[in-house]
Amino acid sequence: MAADSREPEVPSQPLPASKLAGSEEKTYDTFSYPATRENANSLPGANNTSAGGKPTQAGIVDALKMIRLSDFKEVHKKPCTREGFLTGIGAAFGVGGIRAILGAPVFTACSWAVGAFAFGSFAMHEFCQRKRKLEKAGIERVNAALSQKRINEEKKREEVRKTRRKAKQEADQ
């Protein structure tokens, strides 16, 4: 098959300076296609950070430095956390108590209670988050419907104004 003649053939390597037109005894810089960089938006000689340094790897120590005491004092103010904790406490009391009443050793009953607390807290927190997301979507739908209703009412008002103006103009003539 013949090659496609619609696309210009791009040389894979730049021409040497001696083969360029008008470059008999002179040495010119070779012009070639720019070398591709990893990031096309980066400046030549720039590093990953704006300050010119290399980014540091975050570790466990860095994460622990970010935790403050106020985070633990205000955990109950986060959405759905209170409901999750209360459900987890109830589940732990119920499951651990039943296991203890049924004659399981104390350590086993406590282990079941901890597991029930973790599962109950997580499940209730996720359920609450899902409920909040659905509620937010419903509010957005209502807001969209109300704004559409306002637009329609404004169009109707404008039509009524136009008909009144037209009737007034006809009456004046």
Side-chain angles (χ1 to χ4, degrees):
M1 293 185 105
D4 191 2
S5 61
R6 292 177 291 185
E7 296 178 11
E9 189 171 318
V10 179
S12 59
Q13 294 185 355
L15 294 172
S18 61
K19 293 197 176 191
L20 293 174
S23 63
E24 272 87 25
E25 299 273 325
K26 300 177 183 178
T27 306
Y28 292 101
D29 291 332
T30 352
F31 296 102
S32 64
Y33 297 102
T36 58
R37 295 187 292 265
E38 290 181 18
N39 184 357
N41 295 328
S42 66
L43 295 172
N47 290 331
N48 291 335
T49 63
S50 61
K54 295 193 182 222
T56 59
Q57 292 290 333
I60 294 174
V61 175
D62 296 326
L64 292 176
K65 287 179 184 176
M66 293 175 55
I67 298 174
R68 295 169 294 189
L69 184 60
S70 64
D71 293 338
F72 293 106
K73 288 181 179 178
E74 298 176 2
V75 72
H76 64 282
K77 294 180 182 177
K78 305 288 184 204
C80 299
T81 304
R82 183 176 182 270
E83 292 87 355
F85 279 151
L86 289 174
T87 303
I89 290 169
F93 182 76
V95 171
I98 290 173
R99 289 288 295 172
I101 290 171
L102 293 178
V106 174
F107 185 76
T108 304
C110 289
S111 295
W112 276 82
V114 169
F117 172 79
F119 179 75
S121 297
F122 175 75
M124 185 60 185
H125 188 270
E126 291 300 313
F127 175 74
C128 181
Q129 290 288 0
R130 173 75 175 148
K131 190 169 63 170
R132 284 172 47 95
K133 188 184 291 185
L134 290 174
E135 185 177 343
K136 184 178 179 182
I139 290 172
E140 289 174 358
R141 280 194 308 269
V142 168
N143 285 339
L146 286 176
S147 64
Q148 186 64 34
K149 185 178 178 183
R150 285 187 203 114
I151 291 170
N152 292 340
E153 287 176 355
E154 187 62 35
K155 286 180 183 178
K156 287 180 184 177
R157 285 188 202 124
E158 190 61 35
E159 288 175 10
V160 169
R161 287 183 198 131
K162 284 182 182 180
T163 56
R164 286 181 184 165
R165 282 187 209 131
K166 191 174 183 180
K168 186 176 180 182
Q169 287 175 355
E170 290 174 0
D172 289 343
Q173 291 177 358

